[in-house]
Amino acid sequence: MKLFIQIFLLLFLINFNAISGESGDLPGQEENKPEDIFDKKTEEQEGLDVSSLTELLKPKNTDVLLPKNRLDQIFNQLFLAELNKDQLKIIGECEKSLVDGNCFVVEPKILSNHFNNYYFYTNSQNQVYSIIVFNNEKQGDLNNCKDKISLWKDYFNSFDLTEKEPNDNSLNFVLTDAPQKNSLEIFASCYSEQFRDIKSSFSIKFFKNV
């Protein structure tokens, strides 16, 4: 009889554990079915943000902007240096602009067919601080001078220069490399000019500030 009661209690305990469930389950916790798991993964893939990937795949700009050099010499002559007599032939004197300076009419080894006069101005230390190159021949068609202005402006664009007085006039321009020390200013003009001993129909003037 005692054995029978023990067997009956053992069977009762086994059935009770099977009904109560496994430990760790929380009330209200839902068990995901396999098809629910796959459905959720599919929805996540469809809503994937690919904007960052698109940005990465865009072609990159590999252009390198190299720094420009200062314009420190022209027509075989360094600014704020003594007259380069190895590269320049002195053919006369011109009217000086400084009381304690000089002006020389020169013929550089490197010439431009845009000009027929080259005036180099020196200060009291015999340093070239200004150069004026000009053509004193009368020009009939201003369009030819516009082409010259355009060519020189393109040339100066290779150096560290900016327009000092921006304008839409195709007959002149003013450039500078200020605010650098001993800044350079360049004036180009197709207008007829007459001052001191200069009579010009097209000129470029270089002034080195000291």
Side-chain angles (χ1 to χ4, degrees), residues 64-179:
V64 179
L65 295 177
L66 297 175
K68 294 182 179 181
N69 295 322
R70 294 189 72 181
L71 180 65
D72 56 7
Q73 62 177 311
I74 196 76
F75 298 114
N76 308 114
Q77 177 62 49
L78 282 165
F79 292 107
L80 298 184
E82 291 190 3
L83 205 65
N84 186 357
K85 295 180 181 179
D86 294 332
Q87 299 294 321
L88 303 169
K89 180 182 178 182
I90 299 175
I91 58 179
E93 291 187 4
C94 40
E95 187 177 336
K96 60 187 181 182
S97 58
L98 295 178
V99 175
D100 53 354
N102 288 291
C103 179
F104 299 95
V105 181
V106 304
E107 184 179 293
K109 283 189 176 181
I110 297 178
L111 297 167
S112 168
N113 58 13
H114 294 168
F115 312 106
N116 58 6
N117 288 277
Y118 301 80
Y119 286 12
F120 284 42
Y121 298 82
T122 59
N123 56 22
S124 58
Q125 287 81 41
N126 296 319
Q127 299 172 328
V128 176
Y129 73 94
S130 178
I131 296 173
I132 299 179
V133 293
F134 62 97
N135 193 318
N136 60 6
E137 296 176 353
K138 187 176 180 179
Q139 57 184 357
D141 190 357
L142 277 178
N143 287 321
N144 291 334
C145 197
K146 286 181 182 180
D147 293 339
K148 296 175 186 177
I149 285 280
S150 179
L151 289 172
W152 280 99
K153 199 168 186 180
D154 286 343
Y155 170 75
F156 292 132
N157 190 47
S158 301
F159 298 93
D160 185 16
L161 296 162
T162 57
E163 282 200 79
K164 184 177 181 179
E165 301 172 6
N167 64 75
D168 297 328
N169 193 335
S170 57
L171 293 176
N172 67 350
F173 62 78
V174 182
L175 305 176
T176 181
D177 63 3

